[in-house]
Amino acid sequence: MAKLLKGIAPALITPFRAEGEGVDVDVVDQLVKFHLDAGVHGFYLCGNTGEGFNASVQERKDMTAAVMAAMERYGKKIPVIVMVAALDINDAIALAKHAESVGADAISSGTALTIMSFFNGKQKGLLSLTRCPATLSMTL
């Protein structure tokens, strides 16, 4: 397997609209352009820095789609890894499938210990969060 990343791959913040819910896609576009112009080699989306555990499934999908669209708009494709961990395995699967459908290169699901620290050690479905859906063709 070829090496996916080299160099600098920042964990992007997820900018939310000032009025409340929803991702501010205009700011996402500016963030992507800034980092592409700076010469980064990849992006990590929706992890701790990107408020992944605090954002809704739709907000996480919107962030991923906005980053991929911005890269296309600026004519530069660099590797993108999307964190898809969620307490509900169905949400994690939906996020993984969405990441794949918009062209992300890989997903990250986090570890049970990391997930437990965000959700106060709730056990329901914890083990299933570390399993990958077999239908994905992307790198984990």
Side-chain angles (χ1 to χ4, degrees):
M1 174 186 237
K3 189 173 182 181
L4 179 63
L5 283 178
K6 65 174 185 168
I8 300 169
L12 292 184
I13 63 166
T14 299
F16 294 98
R17 294 187 191 124
E19 61 274 4
E21 292 184 20
V23 174
D24 190 331
V25 295
D26 293 331
V27 175
V28 172
D29 191 84
Q30 294 170 20
L31 283 170
V32 169
K33 183 172 184 345
F34 172 82
H35 287 293
L36 290 175
D37 288 349
V40 301
H41 304 100
F43 292 123
Y44 184 78
L45 308 180
C46 302
N48 298 349
T49 303
E51 298 295 338
F53 286 112
N54 295 316
S56 70
V57 169
Q58 188 58 55
E59 289 167 335
R60 292 167 73 177
K61 287 179 177 181
D62 291 346
M63 176 63 180
T64 302
V67 168
M68 301 308 290
M71 284 195 303
E72 185 175 327
R73 187 169 19 268
Y74 296 114
K76 187 162 186 185
K77 173 67 171 89
I78 58 176
V80 172
I81 301 170
V82 181
M83 196 281 291
V84 300
L87 270 186
D88 183 328
I89 189 63
N90 294 312
D91 289 345
I93 291 169
L95 288 164
K97 287 182 176 181
H98 177 265
E100 182 178 38
S101 75
V102 297
D105 299 281
I107 59 170
S108 165
S109 65
T111 64
L113 182 59
T114 301
I115 294 166
M116 285 175 61
S117 69
F118 278 95
F119 295 106
N120 299 319
K122 294 178 184 175
Q123 298 298 313
K124 182 181 176 188
L126 192 58
L127 187 57
S128 64
L129 296 175
T130 62
R131 296 187 183 127
C132 169
T135 59
L136 292 176
S137 62
M138 61 193 332
T139 304
L140 296 176

